[in-house]
């Protein structure tokens, strides 16, 4: 009954239908048209997807548009029906059925809007082969916003208050998404050097943007042939060139200050890092173990143990050199097979230009950051090639931004699926809040706390 009535009401409102049908594709057209970047010149062949520097920004703004549309579509739905609901209260109609009808219709509208948005935007920008992935992620973000809007609509008595709230909701989604301000560049009270801080993890924009960016990077038709090989190359390269170099420097510093009592605090710090990193490496590489890792303390360390540590690091360096060369050779063989003839070489170049994006690679690998490695809480944190870095030692919510996969119950799950699970988990939580009137009850408690108490005046006899 509720679904039928609500649908008929919306279908008879031509302006409502027109705006909701045109809003998403018009925004997609404007956004994609102005972000279709290329440098016109006599020798230029025209637009090339790989060279478009605006793709990461397009992905981010698409997420914000999805959240904005989801909020604006749903934020007046319940407040608009309050008078009708009040008149029908004597009929004892099911409140659950009413809310379920609202959720169903909102999700249906959002599914259509996001499909139109993705079809137009991806066509103009020539984002190929990613329609289903983009739609699923943007629809998930829009659905979250739908439920948030319905909660807001059920909590306030004035539409003006609701439309004042929408920018206040959108701004944190912008700020704490991980793209406007990096998570390690936030105020130190909230920043995180090795993962995503809690304030980022509660933002739908963070999960949706990361899912889109990582999926676009690793699932496109070019990268999917090389991603696993490149992942081994980047990880082993960072280990042998940065991680091992940093640990060797620490071994040297410890050796020089071993007999210096004034440097005890510095020794403790360097030994803690060396001990923690070699412990993690022992767990990661089962075949190459450093047995005296527990002896790397101020009380037990000596020249012999430090020499063994240095030799162990040399063994690790040789190991990662072999891993790098093996992956590099495999990639070169694959490229050679794809470029054996002139025609296949042209096809390879076409694949490279049509599916890979240079600017997205800069964002996802953090290539422009001057710090490739940093020390934090007794550990060495990788800051380079993040999209290739598996979160071996991180829990789900501690995983670094742009991670290719996340660990769920001890198993790695692709970021696309993991982030969608989070978005729908947040949406389900908002649905529970809607049915339980959590927001209205909370606001009533706040209002009661701020309202002045009535004074009682005793009558004089």
């Amino acid at each position: 009954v509720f679904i039928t009535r609500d649908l008929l009401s919306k279908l008879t409102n031509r302006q409502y239908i027109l705006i909701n049908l045109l809003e998403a594709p018009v925004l997609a057209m404007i956004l994609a048209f102005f972000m279709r970047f290329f440098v016109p010149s006599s020798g230029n062949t025209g637009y090339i997807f790989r060279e478009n520097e605006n793709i990461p920004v397009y992905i981010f703004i698409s997420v914000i548009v999805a959240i904005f549309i989801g909020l604006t579509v749903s934020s007046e739905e319940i407040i608009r029906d309050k008078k009708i609901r009040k008149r029908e209260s004597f009929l004892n109609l099911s409140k659950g059925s009413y809310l379920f009808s609202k959720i169903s219709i909102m999700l249906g509208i959002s599914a259509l809007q996001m499909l139109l948005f993705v079809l137009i935007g991806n066509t103009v920008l020539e984002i190929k082969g990613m329609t289903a992935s983009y739609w699923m992620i943007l629809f998930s973000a829009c659905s979250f916003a739908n439920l948030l809007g319905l909660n807001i609509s059920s909590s306030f008595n004035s539409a003006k208050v609701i439309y004042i709230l929408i920018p206040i909701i959108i701004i944190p989604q912008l700020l704490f998404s991980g793209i406007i301000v990096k998570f390690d560049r936030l105020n130190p009270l909230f920043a995180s050097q090795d993962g995503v801080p809690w304030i980022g993890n509660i933002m739908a924009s963070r999960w949706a943007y990361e899912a889109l960016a990582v999926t676009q990077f690793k699932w496109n038709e070019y990268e999917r042939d090389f991603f696993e090989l490149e992942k081994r190359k980047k990880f082993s390269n960072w280990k042998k060139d940065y991680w091992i170099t940093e640990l060797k420097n620490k071994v040297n510093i410890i050796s020089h200050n071993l007999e210096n009592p004034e440097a005890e605090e510095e020794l403790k710090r360097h030994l803690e890092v060396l001990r923690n990193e070699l412990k993690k490496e022992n767990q990661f590489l089962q075949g190459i173990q450093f047995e005296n890792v527990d002896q790397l303390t101020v009380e037990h360390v000596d020249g012999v143990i430090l020499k063994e540590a240095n030799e162990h690091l040399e063994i690790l360096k040789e190991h990662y050199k072999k891993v790098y060369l093996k992956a590099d050779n495999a990639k070169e063989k694959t490229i050679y097979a794809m470029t054996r003839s002139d025609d296949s070489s042209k096809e390879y170049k076409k694949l490279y230009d049509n599916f890979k994006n240079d600017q997205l690679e800069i964002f996802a690998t953090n290539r422009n950051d001057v710090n490739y490695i940093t020390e934090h809480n007794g550990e060495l944190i990788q800051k380079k090639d993040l999209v290739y870095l598996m979160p071996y030692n991180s829990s789900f919510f501690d995983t670094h931004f742009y991670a290719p996969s996340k660990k769920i119950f001890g198993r790695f799950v692709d970021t696309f699926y993991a982030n969608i699970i989070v978005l729908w988990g947040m949406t389900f939580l908002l649905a529970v809040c809607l049915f339980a009137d959590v927001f209205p009850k909370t606001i009533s408690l706040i209002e009661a706390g701020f309202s002045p108490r009535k004074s009682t005046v005793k009558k004089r006899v």
Side-chain angles (χ1 to χ4, degrees):
V1 175
F2 289 116
I3 291 177
T4 304
R5 184 177 69 182
D6 208 1
L7 277 175
L8 291 174
S9 173
K10 284 174 170 52
L11 290 172
T12 55
N13 188 338
R14 292 184 180 180
Q15 288 186 348
Y16 181 90
I17 295 296
L18 190 64
I19 289 171
N20 279 287
L21 282 176
L22 293 179
E23 182 181 20
V26 168
L27 284 173
M29 178 61 74
I30 294 170
L31 186 61
F33 175 79
F34 284 103
M35 289 192 173
R36 188 182 163 90
F37 168 77
F38 64 96
V39 180
S41 63
S42 56
N44 199 330
T45 56
Y47 176 80
I48 299 174
F49 174 75
R50 180 176 60 82
E51 297 175 353
N52 188 344
E53 298 177 5
N54 297 320
I55 294 302
V57 180
Y58 168 76
I59 291 172
F60 172 65
I61 297 179
S62 297
V63 170
I64 299 302
V65 166
I67 294 173
F68 176 78
I69 288 176
L71 277 171
T72 53
V73 165
S74 62
S75 58
E76 271 195 83
E77 282 298 310
I78 294 177
I79 196 172
R80 190 189 296 130
D81 292 345
K82 280 192 174 178
K83 290 182 179 178
I84 298 173
R85 292 284 295 159
K86 193 172 182 180
R87 288 199 301 267
E88 293 177 345
S89 58
F90 70 94
L91 296 174
N92 293 321
L93 297 175
S94 170
K95 180 186 174 182
S97 299
Y98 168 75
L99 293 176
F100 180 77
S101 71
K102 286 293 180 186
I103 293 171
S104 302
I105 291 170
M106 290 300 100
L107 295 188
I109 292 171
S110 293
L112 178 60
Q113 287 178 316
M114 290 303 102
L115 179 62
L116 294 173
F117 183 91
V118 170
L119 289 174
I120 299 297
N122 286 21
T123 300
V124 174
L125 289 175
E126 298 183 19
I127 300 174
K128 300 175 181 178
M130 306 296 291
T131 301
S133 303
Y134 270 63
W135 174 80
M136 189 64 212
I137 295 166
L138 292 180
F139 170 58
S140 300
C142 195
S143 299
F144 162 83
N146 285 156
L147 268 295
L148 183 58
L150 288 174
N151 273 281
I152 292 168
S153 184
S154 69
S155 304
F156 297 96
N157 296 318
S158 169
K160 290 181 180 178
V161 175
I162 290 172
Y163 284 103
I164 290 170
L165 277 175
I166 288 177
I168 297 172
I169 293 168
I170 292 290
I171 289 170
Q173 298 289 342
L174 288 164
L175 181 59
F176 302 118
S177 61
I179 188 166
I180 300 293
V181 182
K182 291 183 178 181
F183 291 126
D184 58 356
R185 300 290 192 272
L186 290 171
N187 185 303
L189 293 172
F190 298 96
S192 175
Q193 296 298 320
D194 56 348
V196 179
W198 67 267
I199 200 164
N201 279 330
I202 62 173
M203 297 295 155
S205 58
R206 163 264 192 276
W207 296 100
Y209 168 75
E210 183 190 40
L212 270 179
V214 171
T215 301
Q216 174 64 56
F217 184 87
K218 64 180 284 194
W219 280 14
N220 68 76
E221 285 190 31
Y222 174 83
E223 195 67 35
R224 68 187 181 191
D225 292 327
F226 302 106
F227 185 81
E228 288 301 320
L229 294 173
E230 200 66 24
K231 184 171 72 175
R232 275 182 264 162
K233 278 181 62 179
K234 298 295 186 183
F235 181 68
S236 56
N237 185 65
W238 181 83
K239 282 279 190 177
K240 67 185 179 66
D241 289 348
Y242 298 98
W243 182 77
I244 289 174
T245 301
E246 187 69 20
L247 290 184
K248 281 193 162 195
N249 289 338
K250 292 195 175 295
V251 171
N252 291 334
I253 293 170
I254 294 165
S255 298
H256 290 147
N257 292 281
L258 202 56
E259 303 300 328
N260 183 4
E262 295 180 359
E264 185 175 345
E265 289 303 317
E266 186 181 2
L267 277 175
K268 282 183 179 178
R269 181 170 65 83
H270 292 304
L271 282 166
E272 182 188 13
V273 174
L274 186 61
R275 186 173 62 253
N276 288 341
E277 291 301 312
L278 289 178
K279 273 185 179 179
K280 287 192 294 183
E281 193 68 11
N282 280 348
Q283 293 173 355
F284 179 67
L285 280 180
Q286 298 295 327
I288 305 175
Q289 299 287 298
F290 182 63
E291 302 297 340
N292 293 322
V293 66
D294 291 327
Q295 303 297 312
L296 294 170
T297 61
V298 175
E299 295 79 16
H300 300 99
V301 71
D302 56 26
V304 176
I305 292 172
L306 290 175
K307 184 181 177 182
E308 290 176 356
N310 218 17
E311 290 171 353
H312 180 73
L313 290 172
E314 279 297 325
I315 294 169
L316 288 175
K317 189 170 186 177
E318 289 303 313
H319 167 76
Y320 284 115
K321 275 184 181 178
K322 290 177 183 177
V323 173
Y324 177 86
L325 290 172
K326 186 177 180 181
D328 188 54
N329 289 335
K331 183 179 178 181
E332 290 301 318
K333 285 180 182 178
T334 305
I335 293 174
Y336 176 75
M338 296 172 71
T339 58
R340 193 171 296 174
S341 64
D342 289 340
D343 289 339
S344 60
S345 184
K346 287 177 182 177
E347 285 298 316
Y348 172 81
K349 182 66 166 64
K350 187 177 178 182
L351 190 72
Y352 184 72
D353 285 339
N354 288 346
F355 292 94
K356 191 176 179 65
N357 183 261
D358 294 339
Q359 192 67 15
L360 181 60
E361 184 174 6
I362 290 172
F363 273 69
T365 59
N366 203 26
R367 188 192 298 169
N368 287 345
D369 198 322
V370 295
N371 296 318
Y372 285 178
I373 188 169
T374 188
E375 184 180 324
H376 180 67
N377 287 341
E379 295 182 333
L380 296 178
I381 309 300
Q382 182 173 338
K383 292 290 188 179
K384 181 188 178 187
D385 299 321
L386 298 178
V387 75
Y388 295 112
L389 175 61
M390 295 294 285
Y392 296 109
N393 301 302
S394 301
S395 61
F396 186 89
F397 290 104
D398 291 329
T399 303
H400 64 276
F401 201 45
Y402 291 118
S405 301
K406 291 182 172 64
K407 198 180 288 185
I408 301 178
F409 302 118
R411 300 185 66 178
F412 286 114
V413 176
D414 193 281
T415 290
F416 173 81
Y417 300 108
N419 287 24
I420 284 178
I421 289 170
V422 173
L423 285 169
W424 282 101
M426 295 166 75
T427 304
F428 177 77
L429 183 62
L430 285 173
V432 172
C433 290
L434 181 65
F435 280 88
D437 285 330
V438 172
F439 282 31
K441 288 175 182 176
T442 303
I443 290 169
S444 297
L445 286 172
I446 294 170
E447 288 176 345
F450 280 98
S451 61
R453 294 180 180 178
K454 294 181 180 180
S455 58
T456 54
V457 180
K458 293 183 180 179
K459 293 182 179 181
R460 292 182 180 179
V461 180

